[in-house]
Amino acid sequence: MLVINNFEEYKSYLGKELGLSNWHTINQEQINKFADATLDHQWIHVDQEKARNDGPFKTTIAHGYLTISLIPYLWKQIADVRNIKMEINYGIESFKFGQAVVVDSEVQLKAKLVSIADLKGVTKVVIKATLMIKDQTKPAYTGDVVFLYHFI
């Protein structure tokens, strides 16, 4: 795991790969809970029988936004940003879904520091996030996430 203690340390990684998270399995229980939380019960996510018989993937798939919602969890496995008062998920930009994540797939986040700026004491970073699917060459998505850090 990468440990970052201040702005200058963070800046030293500009343009570099920051690392990979552990693998995380997206199972049907997680998909169902996400469907309940977001009120998105589309059959392709939650109806295993219909997905098996009528769906293009012959099984259920994770919601795209479920896979995006994993970023904070997976990011914490890549980088430990210390000496901060606060960290804010500031935005997501230019996300493209490459392929569906079928149930019971293992996914892993790859992160690269695209930009960093000191905005009057607030550090703004843009991380290129790529969600890899085990045994697949095409990622589930790629896009930029923006974090704000208030270093002490």
Side-chain angles (χ1 to χ4, degrees):
M1 175 179 292
L2 187 64
V3 175
I4 299 170
N5 291 294
N6 55 49
F7 174 83
E8 290 304 321
E9 284 184 17
Y10 222 140
K11 189 175 179 179
S12 72
Y13 294 103
L14 184 59
K16 297 179 183 172
E17 295 288 334
L18 301 175
L20 299 167
S21 70
N22 296 324
W23 290 101
H24 173 77
T25 302
I26 300 178
N27 61 29
Q28 191 63 49
E29 179 183 12
Q30 185 174 25
I31 292 170
N32 292 345
K33 286 180 178 179
F34 190 84
D36 289 342
T38 61
L39 307 177
D40 181 356
H41 292 95
Q42 186 182 94
W43 66 266
I44 200 162
H45 303 302
V46 297
D47 188 334
Q48 292 175 290
E49 184 175 334
K50 184 173 176 113
R52 187 180 317 101
N53 295 326
D54 300 333
F57 306 102
K58 301 304 177 197
T59 190
T60 55
I61 62 170
H63 304 71
Y65 288 118
L66 185 161
T67 63
I68 289 176
S69 76
L70 292 173
I71 290 173
Y73 168 72
L74 297 172
W75 170 244
K76 297 291 186 206
Q77 297 172 17
I78 296 171
D80 180 9
V81 183
R82 298 180 179 175
N83 302 313
I84 55 174
K85 295 188 276 186
M86 186 171 28
E87 173 184 0
I88 298 170
N89 297 320
Y90 190 64
I92 57 174
E93 302 170 344
S94 305
F95 260 73
K96 300 287 186 205
F97 292 104
Q99 70 171 316
V101 177
V102 299
V103 68
D104 296 324
S105 290
E106 292 181 73
V107 296
Q108 179 182 57
L109 186 68
K110 179 169 69 170
K112 177 180 180 178
L113 181 58
V114 174
S115 70
I116 183 168
D118 182 355
L119 307 175
K120 299 180 183 177
V122 176
T123 299
K124 177 184 175 186
V125 300
V126 178
I127 305 291
K128 179 180 180 185
T130 304
L131 192 69
M132 307 305 295
I133 305 169
K134 195 171 214 173
D135 300 324
Q136 300 289 319
T137 56
K138 193 173 183 182
Y141 60 67
T142 58
D144 294 336
V145 291
V146 184
F147 298 122
L148 299 180
Y149 295 96
H150 297 256
F151 283 100
I152 298 171

